[in-house]
């Protein structure tokens, strides 16, 4: 008779899920024993990196990935990245071993007490099979739950003695649709309101990128001839930032956001929260007299929107349907052209250390035509966005976390680089990583080196948690302790994980190291000192 393992691995083959990212312990070894040759196990050295790598890989492959971590402690370490996977809407089947059923009542060492409660509220479904025979069916249900919109992580707690049990060779494979089409009546209502509006504005978010709606988003904006804003803290970019209709990123605060949209009588948000605010700056949600329409694939987002009317749908499908029904508009008189042109930077007269702006200008000179950009560099996001390197022009080329949880981007970049290698796209992954942010998941670099990936990490080193100083200024909270980061030897850390690493502090050095890192495959970490200065928090 087949075992639970045999039946489960057969199911996973049918589902096309063949990759496990994990960090093993004794409670996971029965699952991992004699891993079939057609499955890949990717080892990461800490669970935040495990989940981050799986997240990047799943996004890069556009397919769910299995995560396997070690009972309660592994799940504890994984939680920050699980939270981010939920916000990022990444389908992950997260599994953790559980102690033997025989002993669970006496709670032996390594018992995951209340295993299904631990990952809540950040998983869509959390389950420990009631019987070993239910393990394959639980995986099927987990898959179906993870891939349906809004996609996201699910959790299975798996007692270690289940895997070798014999069971009938049941086939629990089934399929389910993954996209939700819009209500046709609601489409007509929304189209009518768009057609009646005098000056609509568009706000695009990550759902469009996830639904492969890049082209449809452009066509819709061009038909309306309306400016396109990117929602605050967007984890994906869904519209070319060099397009003449691109208007910028909305500020992440109530008052400034509505001020930015002044002059528009209708705000059409597609695939973003309404809105992802950060500091509290009071004001109206919308400019006076303006109304808001939201399209989202997530009923939760529709319910929590602070204002406006919502339509629940896959964003690509909704853009196509709305596009058929809205009237074509000419360009408004005096309408601006592309807002996002690289800012001019003087590289002739520079001080030491360089500014972030100068650093990004240098990197931009060598940036290839095709690459993936990943950033976790909080105080430098606006400057990055004004450089050629940071102006996103192509679909599926920018990724970050929508949660604010540091420690996600380094491993996610590794997962994305694995997907690039596996798919044969082979774009290099360029990571801009703050010196503070670097410390949350540095061990992901080891996985990248071991898997021979092409990744270039540039660390703007300001020796501080710069963004927190900006926040303290805005919130008028002086003398917060613990915001300085002296004496961190990031080059040695990177070398310790096997990367090639350099300290570069001149324009020539930065340029030649970056160029070399892009030409040579492999993992390179370049640490560049930059000046300390407190940025305005709501600078976009
Ligand atoms: C897991 C986690 N812990 C703490 C924070 C709070 N936090 C937000 S930004 C930041 C500092 C980031 O510093 P760095 O990467 O050096 O970027 P800089 O602001 O200097 O550009 C911290 C600690 C967080 N967002 N996530
Ligand atoms: Mg810093």
């Amino acid at each position: 008779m087949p075992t639970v393992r045999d039946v489960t691995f057969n199911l996973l083959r049918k589902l096309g899920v063949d990759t496990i990212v994990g960090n093993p312990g004794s409670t996971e070894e029965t699952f991992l024993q004699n891993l079939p040759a057609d499955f890949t196990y990717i080892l990461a050295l800490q669970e935040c990196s495990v989940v981050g790598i799986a997240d990047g890989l799943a996004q890069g492959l556009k397919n769910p990935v299995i995560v396997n971590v070690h009972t309660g402690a592994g799940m504890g370490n994984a939680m920050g990245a699980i939270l981010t996977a939920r916000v990022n809407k990444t389908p992950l089947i997260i599994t953790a071993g559980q102690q033997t059923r025989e002993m669970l009542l006496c709670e032996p060492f390594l018992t995951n007490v209340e295993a299904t409660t631990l990952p809540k509220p950040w998983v869509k479904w959390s389950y420990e099979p009631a019987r070993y025979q239910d393990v394959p069916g639980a995986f099927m249900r987990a898959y179906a739950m993870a891939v349906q919109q809004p996609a996201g992580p699910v959790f299975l707690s798996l007692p270690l003695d289940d895997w070798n049990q014999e069971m009938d060779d049941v086939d629990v494979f089934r399929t389910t649709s993954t996209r939700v089409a819009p209500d046709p009546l609601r489409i007509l209502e929304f189209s009518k309101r768009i057609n009646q509006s005098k000056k609509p504005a568009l706000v695009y978010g990550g759902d469009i990128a996830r639904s492969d709606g890049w082209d449809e988003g452009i066509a819709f904006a061009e038909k309306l001839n309306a400016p396109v804003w990117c929602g605050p803290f967007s984890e994906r970019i869904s519209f070319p930032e060099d397009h003449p209709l691109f208007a910028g990123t909305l500020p992440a605060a109530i008052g400034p956001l509505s001020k930015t949209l002044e002059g528009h009588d209708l705000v059409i948000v597609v695939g973003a929260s309404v809105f992802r605010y950060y500091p509290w700056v009071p004001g109206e949600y919308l400019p006076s007299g303006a109304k808001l329409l939201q399209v989202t694939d997530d009923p939760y987002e529709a319910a929590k929107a602070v204002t406006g009317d919502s339509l629940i749908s896959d964003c690509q499908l909704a853009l196509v349907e709305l596009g058929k029904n809205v009237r074509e508009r000419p360009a408004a008189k005096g309408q601006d052209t592309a807002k996002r042109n690289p800012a001019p930077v003087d590289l002739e007269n520079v001080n030491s250390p360089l500014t972030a702006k100068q650093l990004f200008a240098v990197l931009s000179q060598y940036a290839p035509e095709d690459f993936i950009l990943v950033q976790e560099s909080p105080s430098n996001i606006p400057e990055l966005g004004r450089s050629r390197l940071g102006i996103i022009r192509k679909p599926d080329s920018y990724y970050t976390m929508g949660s604010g949880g540091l420690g996600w981007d380094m491993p996610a970049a590794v997962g994305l680089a694995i997907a690039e290698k596996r798919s044969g796209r082979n774009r290099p992954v360029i990571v801009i990583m703050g010196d503070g942010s670097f410390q949350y998941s540095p061990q992901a670099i080891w996985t990248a080196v071991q898997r021979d990936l092409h990744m270039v990490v540039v660390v703007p080193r300001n020796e501080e948690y710069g963004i927190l100083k900006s926040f303290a200024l805005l919130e008028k909270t002086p003398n917060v302790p613990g915001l300085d980061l002296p004496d961190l030897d990031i080059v040695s850390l990177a070398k310790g994980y096997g990367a090639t690493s350099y300290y570069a502090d001149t324009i020539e050095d930065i340029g030649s190291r970056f160029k070399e890192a892009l030409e040579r495959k492999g993992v390179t970490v370049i640490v560049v000192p930059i000046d300390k200065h407190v940025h305005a928090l709501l600078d976009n």
Side-chain angles (χ1 to χ4, degrees), residues 289-308:
K291 301 281 185 216
L292 183 142
L293 301 176
Q294 181 197 31
V295 179
T296 172
D297 65 17
D298 187 348
Y300 189 91
E301 286 287 354
K304 87 175 171 80
V306 290
T307 184

Side-chain angles (χ1 to χ4, degrees), residues 408-422:
W408 181 88
D409 286 80
M410 184 77 88
V414 176
L416 287 159
I418 296 172
E420 285 306 298
K421 189 171 181 178
R422 204 182 272 187

